[in-house]
Amino acid sequence: LIVKAFSGKLIIPSFKEFKKLVEEVFEDVRDCKDGKAADYIPQLARVDPDLWGLSVCTVDGQRFNLGDFEKIYTIQSTSKPFTYAMALDLYGSDYVQEYVSAEPSGEGFNEICLDDNNKPHNPMINAGAIVTSSLVKPELNLADRFEYMMNIFRKLSGGTYVGFNNSVYLSEKSVADRNFALGYYMKENDCFPKGSCLKTILEFYFQLCSIETKCSAHCIMAGTLANGGVCPITGEEVLDDVSVQHTLSLMLSCGMYDYSGQFAYKIGLPAKSGVSGSILVVIPNVMAICLYSPRLDKLGNSSRGLLFMEKLLKKVNLHQF
Ligand code: DON
């Protein structure tokens, strides 16, 4: 980092100016109280809805954090792109695409629906993510599989902070009728590899949603995606660049629930949101931004997070096209 800084080779040479600009927009949207924190999982309903955190991590490892960047929350659906990338890494895209397609579904994130080939539409919605969870290291028992995943999440975050929230996990499991319904529907349609145990798959999926982190660490995970799978802090190659490429394509087309099309149109960046109120935004080969604000709009995306991105784009054109 220091060598790059002195030789003028940093991806954002005027990092201080960029930070100032981000701070202005961060304060500008602070008053946004639109939407409501998710309450279908009792533990999520109890968070302070006013929390507002932001982190930036460039591919050079330059970072800054604002507001409630140290508040711990569960990663929820932002685990989905990482699980998908891990499956691609392990088994390759041809195998993974035998089980999960790569088309936007046009339906809600937890909709009970499959495409014409009886496959989930994409790995960013629940159906697809449950199937991807069944693909990763099925030969391991649940404990070893969880440990395997946690290790990768730790590496993605450059060894900063990744934990597990048992209360959210139990809470999630106790209100999971829809995910069980989805699971049985997919089992009936032979969506899982032979010999899979549905209960184990769902438990693993709930565990992945219940991994906890904070903005500053979550942002490094997304920074690893921005950097083609190499963690910008440690320099470790955690994911293959081709797996990351496929994952970012699907984050662009399917990462923001039913708002994905609009988000791609207006913001033009791969992103993934989760119901606890975080949004990961990846600017490929440049940086990642992590936003955390629990109030969600009707489609399930953090309202203040979306407003922030819209306002930021008016000041600096990060749109990829
Ligand atoms: O109900 C579930 O499956 C959630 N815990 C998933 C989390 C989420 O963020 C929804 N996203 N697509």
Side-chain angles (χ1 to χ4, degrees):
L1 183 64
I2 291 170
V3 174
K4 276 189 181 172
F6 280 115
S7 52
K9 286 190 183 142
L10 289 170
I11 193 79
I12 305 183
S14 47
F15 198 60
K16 258 195 182 157
E17 275 167 46
F18 179 66
K19 181 177 177 214
K20 200 164 154 265
L21 193 146
V22 170
E23 267 168 346
E24 280 167 22
V25 184
F26 183 81
E27 288 310 325
D28 188 25
V29 301
R30 189 181 277 285
D31 288 341
C32 171
K33 305 262 189 234
D34 297 347
K36 194 167 154 282
D39 56 6
Y40 76 107
I41 297 172
Q43 301 292 326
L44 291 184
R46 288 180 205 149
V47 297
D48 172 2
D50 287 327
L51 293 172
W52 178 216
L54 175 149
S55 296
V56 165
C57 173
T58 74
V59 293
D60 299 313
Q62 283 190 293
R63 287 179 286 161
F64 68 81
N65 306 294
L66 301 173
D68 298 308
F69 65 90
E70 291 208 275
K71 274 281 173 229
I72 288 166
Y73 56 84
T74 50
I75 65 174
Q76 295 293 336
S77 282
T78 64
S79 60
K80 292 176 165 90
F82 297 109
T83 313
Y84 184 65
M86 290 175 210
L88 290 174
D89 247 23
L90 286 167
Y91 311 107
S93 149
D94 288 349
Y95 175 80
V96 173
Q97 288 221 56
E98 277 176 37
Y99 290 94
V100 194
S101 301
E103 297 292 342
S105 69
E107 305 280 349
F109 75 94
N110 58 4
E111 207 56 41
I112 303 187
C113 69
L114 297 172
D115 68 10
D116 293 344
N117 298 312
N118 272 350
K119 291 188 236 180
H121 289 83
N122 68 71
M124 303 300 157
I125 52 173
N126 285 17
I130 293 171
V131 170
T132 346
S133 310
S134 78
L135 300 182
V136 176
K137 292 272 173 192
E139 70 278 12
L140 298 180
N141 65 42
L142 201 48
D144 287 343
R145 203 185 305 174
F146 180 70
E147 210 168 285
Y148 173 84
M149 292 298 264
M150 284 299 271
N151 263 329
I152 299 185
F153 276 104
R154 275 190 204 108
K155 288 181 186 171
L156 287 165
S157 75
T160 49
Y161 180 73
V162 182
F164 177 71
N165 189 321
N166 196 42
S167 330
V168 169
Y169 166 68
L170 294 171
S171 187
E172 179 111 32
K173 210 162 87 158
S174 68
V175 293
D177 291 341
R178 172 61 70 101
N179 284 324
F180 274 98
L182 251 175
Y184 278 108
Y185 178 64
M186 292 196 289
K187 184 166 171 250
E188 184 194 13
N189 283 286
D190 282 330
C191 293
F192 300 110
K194 293 227 167 345
S196 303
C197 162
L198 181 59
K199 188 171 163 272
T200 312
I201 295 168
L202 286 169
E203 276 177 6
F204 188 43
Y205 168 77
F206 302 141
Q207 285 167 2
L208 293 171
C209 291
S210 309
I211 289 175
E212 62 174 26
T213 190
K214 50 187 179 180
C215 238
S216 52
H218 208 187
C219 191
I220 300 171
M221 297 181 205
T224 303
L225 296 182
N227 200 27
V230 176
C231 176
I233 307 300
T234 60
E236 183 176 3
E237 187 184 334
V238 189
L239 296 166
D240 188 75
D241 55 354
V242 179
S243 311
V244 172
Q245 187 179 56
H246 292 318
T247 303
L248 291 177
S249 297
L250 292 185
M251 286 169 73
L252 178 71
S253 57
C254 317
M256 299 293 284
Y257 309 109
D258 271 2
Y259 191 67
S260 302
Q262 278 295 321
F263 192 85
Y265 187 85
K266 283 192 193 164
I267 311 292
L269 293 168
K272 184 75 198 88
S273 57
V275 289
S276 49
S278 64
I279 304 181
L280 298 179
V281 183
V282 176
I283 299 118
N285 305 312
V286 181
M287 66 175 149
I289 305 175
C290 175
L291 306 162
Y292 173 56
S293 175
R295 287 199 182 88
L296 309 178
D297 65 14
K298 286 207 170 63
L299 296 174
N301 295 309
S302 165
S303 311
R304 185 157 46 185
L306 282 185
L307 185 65
F308 171 86
M309 283 312 295
E310 278 181 24
K311 294 213 171 193
L312 182 68
L313 267 275
K314 293 215 169 86
K315 298 215 174 196
V316 39
N317 190 5
L318 299 167
H319 200 296
Q320 292 293 286
F321 311 108

